[in-house]
Amino acid sequence: MTLTGRNIIGGRPEGEGTAFRAVAAATGREIEPTFHAATADDVDRACALADQAFDAYRETDPERRAAFLEAIAQAILDIGDSLIVRCMEESGLPRARLEGERGRTVGQLRMFAGVLREGSFLGVRIDPALPDRQPLPRPDLRLRNVAVGPVAVFGASNFPLAFSVAGGDTASALAAGCPVVAKAHPAHPGTSELVGAAVAKAAAQCGMPEGVFSLLFDDGIVVGQRLVSDSRIAAVGFTGSRTGGTALMKLAAERPVPIPVYAEMSSINPVVLLPDALASRGGAIGKAFVGALTLGSGQFCTNPGLVLAVEGAGLDAFLSGAAAALEGVAAQTMLTPGIHRTYCAGVAALEANEAVTLLARGRGGGETQGQAALFATSAAAFLADHRLEAEVFGAASLVVRCRDIGEIRAVLARLEGQLTAALHMEPGDHEAARALLPMLERRVGRILVNGFGTGVEVGHAMVHGGPYPATSDGRTTSVGSLAIQHFLRPVCYQDLPDTLLPRELQQANPLGIPRRIDGRHEA
Ligand SMILES: NC(=O)C1=CN([C@@H]2O[C@H](COP(=O)(O)OP(=O)(O)OC[C@H]3O[C@@H](n4cnc5c(N)ncnc54)[C@H](OP(=O)(O)O)[C@@H]3O)[C@@H](O)[C@H]2O)C=CC1
Ligand SMILES: O=C(O)CCC(=O)C(=O)O
């Protein structure tokens, strides 16, 4: 497909706004074609069409929406290798990673098709009338979840496929019955147009209303701000920086009608190395840790940015194993010049901190490449300096040397909300781990053992979330089937005649979906 460089509004390429070009991540050179940022009129039209599409789209049969999601998945695969090639050029990410990410994107869309067919996302609850109840009769009460309305989705720079135009937020919003207006990340506009055209093609094939999906470009923040401020937008999905996410939360909260922003933001993902694990395999954990730290140049919100351990021979073995592995790691191209600059500034700030020691660095590289780095400090210094808790987005991590488990607890108690926490343990560490679990449950969305949080599994039991600032709303997840809850809200129907009820609530259960009757699952 030839790129047009134009927004996709109601299925058509449109727009003559400010021109900009994509930049090749590896060279910093501009790439063809010229893209056009959405104007105020473009944003208005995309939102108006989404609003017009909403009522028809939200009442489409779950089966039709499932077929639509599957058609999007197929249309993305049908783009073929040109999608991977363009994405490699724009993001600097390697082929194998992007092919895997495409598989995840397609898998995610298909998973939500399965969620629609299974039906429990509708959350149907029925409390049948009790006309003879004393002292008062009970009315007939029937609850189902409905779609919230048009959703604005912000593509993420670090996952140009799985967290972007047809990524998790778009898949869950479309599954819920919400039209989507996607804002392409300016780091990969060509990839975004290719995927956006695939979504538009699938919408046309499946006879969906034209406003069900639009894609808008911008190389600044104005389009995103207009979108979040538009009265027809009912919710926002975002993956990116804490600065960007909190700015959008503020904007959404200040609207005449405030709306939820589901932002997945910063996390340093503490890794706790417990004593027996360190004693028995400290060096091997160090090597595995470097693999997780440097994957994708560390540009993951699940990157292990903080390591906590009690001082001793086991920690020394971990550090030697990690340093030896890190010194062999080549510098890797980072996603954008801005992300590279921010990473270098974060590393420089750690280097300049007198309480921090540089333990090892990866191999040096070119102007756009991130050089991995491992630092250490004491628990006392960490507790005294809030700056050491800041996310350095890239392959840098800080080891906090603790005198005992009590200091590990003290550091964990200080941490902000996180996406993940990892515990490395042997059976002899179980008691120590048990004592840490309640503290971790309060602070993180996912607790894992003998591994690292990078590479989130897409499934039904996944939580990719966590208390603020990991996300704007720790009650939910942005990966996995539960993410559909972002874009649903419950409505109760009291004493409606059966013929007026939506089909999922009708007495005969014509859709054959799981329901709770009087608090119990229907047999
Ligand atoms: N923890 C994580 O998962 C991630 C963290 N980051 C962090 O974010 C930094 C920048 O990376 P980036 O991916 O561009 O993330 P940003 O949060 O800066 O941007 C994400 C998207 O939001 C838009 N945006 C940002 N701020 C606003 C605002 N105030 N109003 C409206 N829209 C806004 C951006 O537009 P535009 O780009 O046009 O300005 C972009 O489309 C990284 O260096 C890293 O520190 C990044 C990715 C993931
Ligand atoms: O580790 C992953 O697979 C997902 C990471 C993520 O959500 C992010 O970096 O934004």
Side-chain angles (χ1 to χ4, degrees):
M1 175 193 149
T2 310
L3 293 173
T4 67
R6 295 183 196 282
N7 309 297
I8 300 174
I9 301 178
R12 284 176 295 279
E14 285 190 24
E16 296 290 341
T18 320
F20 70 99
R21 295 260 175 94
V23 168
T27 60
R29 278 206 292 272
E30 290 192 345
I31 332 172
E32 294 285 345
T34 297
F35 284 83
H36 294 275
T39 60
D41 278 353
D42 296 330
V43 176
D44 180 63
R45 236 180 12 268
C47 292
L49 282 176
D51 191 47
Q52 282 162 28
F54 177 48
D55 276 325
Y57 182 62
R58 75 188 179 88
E59 287 304 344
T60 46
D61 252 18
E63 175 53 44
R64 274 195 67 206
R65 292 211 295 283
F68 175 36
L69 294 180
E70 287 169 342
I72 296 174
Q74 190 54 50
I76 291 172
L77 291 176
D78 289 346
I79 303 168
D81 203 45
S82 56
L83 176 63
I84 301 295
V85 170
R86 178 76 194 194
C87 196
M88 283 166 65
E89 190 175 17
E90 291 184 333
S91 69
L93 294 169
R95 172 177 282 278
R97 148 73 197 269
L98 290 174
E99 286 177 349
E101 197 182 322
R102 178 176 58 185
R104 174 168 163 173
T105 309
V106 164
Q108 224 156 226
L109 288 156
R110 290 178 174 153
M111 177 192 70
F112 279 110
V115 166
L116 287 169
R117 293 194 173 106
E118 189 272 337
S120 56
F121 75 98
L122 289 161
V124 171
R125 291 162 177 236
I126 298 176
D127 293 345
L130 298 175
D132 300 327
R133 190 181 69 173
Q134 294 300 330
L136 289 171
R138 180 173 81 179
D140 182 85
L141 299 171
R142 290 170 191 248
L143 175 156
R144 70 162 177 162
N145 290 328
V146 301
V148 292
V151 172
V153 171
F154 284 72
S157 59
N158 61 335
F159 274 83
L161 300 171
F163 284 79
S164 284
V165 173
D169 285 336
T170 296
S172 52
L174 290 177
C178 301
V180 166
V181 183
K183 207 291 256 171
H185 196 289
H188 48 78
T191 305
S192 300
E193 186 185 337
L194 289 170
V195 174
V199 180
K201 179 175 143 196
Q205 266 171 7
C206 297
M208 292 295 160
E210 62 172 358
V212 72
F213 173 81
S214 290
L215 172 67
L216 303 176
F217 290 110
D218 193 11
D219 64 345
I221 60 174
V222 177
V223 170
Q225 292 186 336
R226 284 195 177 121
L227 252 185
V228 174
S229 305
D230 191 289
S231 62
R232 292 156 294 195
I233 294 295
V236 178
F238 172 92
T239 302
S241 67
R242 184 164 169 175
T243 312
T246 49
L248 297 180
M249 286 163 66
K250 186 163 184 288
L251 200 60
E254 285 170 357
R255 291 170 31 136
V257 178
I259 54 169
V261 174
Y262 296 103
E264 191 229 289
M265 302 174 286
S266 62
S267 185
I268 54 172
N269 307 298
V271 175
V272 181
L273 309 175
L274 289 166
D276 279 16
L278 272 184
S280 61
R281 50 192 170 86
I285 301 174
K287 192 169 171 221
F289 161 74
V290 167
L293 174 69
T294 58
L295 189 73
S297 201
Q299 299 166 116
F300 288 88
C301 55
T302 44
N303 192 52
L306 184 72
V307 179
L308 308 177
V310 176
E311 284 186 301
L315 178 57
D316 293 343
F318 167 85
L319 294 176
S320 320
L326 197 69
E327 280 157 10
V329 172
Q332 296 169 66
T333 300
M334 295 197 79
L335 293 156
T336 67
I339 287 177
H340 180 254
R341 259 193 315 277
T342 309
Y343 172 69
C344 294
V347 168
L350 285 171
E351 275 181 311
N353 190 316
E354 284 182 355
V356 173
T357 318
L358 176 66
L359 291 175
R361 297 214 72 158
R363 298 215 302 269
E367 272 178 22
T368 58
Q369 294 184 313
Q371 184 184 9
L374 183 60
F375 295 93
T377 192
S378 66
F382 186 87
L383 290 168
D385 186 349
H386 272 284
R387 293 171 304 169
L388 295 178
E389 207 186 330
E391 179 187 50
V392 177
F393 190 69
S397 191
L398 178 64
V399 178
V400 179
R401 299 174 188 270
C402 301
R403 280 179 310 203
D404 51 27
I405 293 274
E407 273 200 342
I408 292 184
R409 288 182 68 84
V411 171
L412 288 174
R414 235 288 294 284
L415 293 185
E416 299 179 308
Q418 305 290 334
L419 293 170
T420 74
L423 297 170
H424 286 255
M425 62 169 83
E426 288 292 312
D429 295 315
H430 284 189
E431 278 317 302
R434 195 189 311 283
L436 294 177
L437 285 175
M439 176 173 265
L440 295 178
E441 284 163 356
R442 283 182 61 165
R443 282 169 183 77
V444 316
R446 179 163 55 110
I447 301 166
L448 60 134
V449 167
N450 292 339
F452 301 94
T454 37
V456 177
E457 179 72 26
V458 180
H460 303 290
M462 176 48 68
V463 174
H464 190 51
Y468 182 85
T471 74
S472 53
D473 186 342
R475 291 170 298 179
T476 58
T477 173
S478 68
V479 174
S481 58
L482 196 64
I484 196 171
Q485 296 297 333
H486 284 169
F487 305 118
L488 293 169
R489 67 181 180 84
V491 174
C492 174
Y493 302 77
Q494 183 169 332
D495 286 334
L496 263 71
D498 205 57
T499 51
L500 288 187
L501 283 168
R503 286 193 304 156
E504 50 267 44
L505 297 182
Q506 287 172 2
Q507 199 57 27
N509 193 7
L511 297 180
I513 56 166
R515 315 197 295 185
R516 281 180 84 161
I517 313 283
D518 244 341
R520 291 205 179 78
H521 292 287
E522 202 169 30

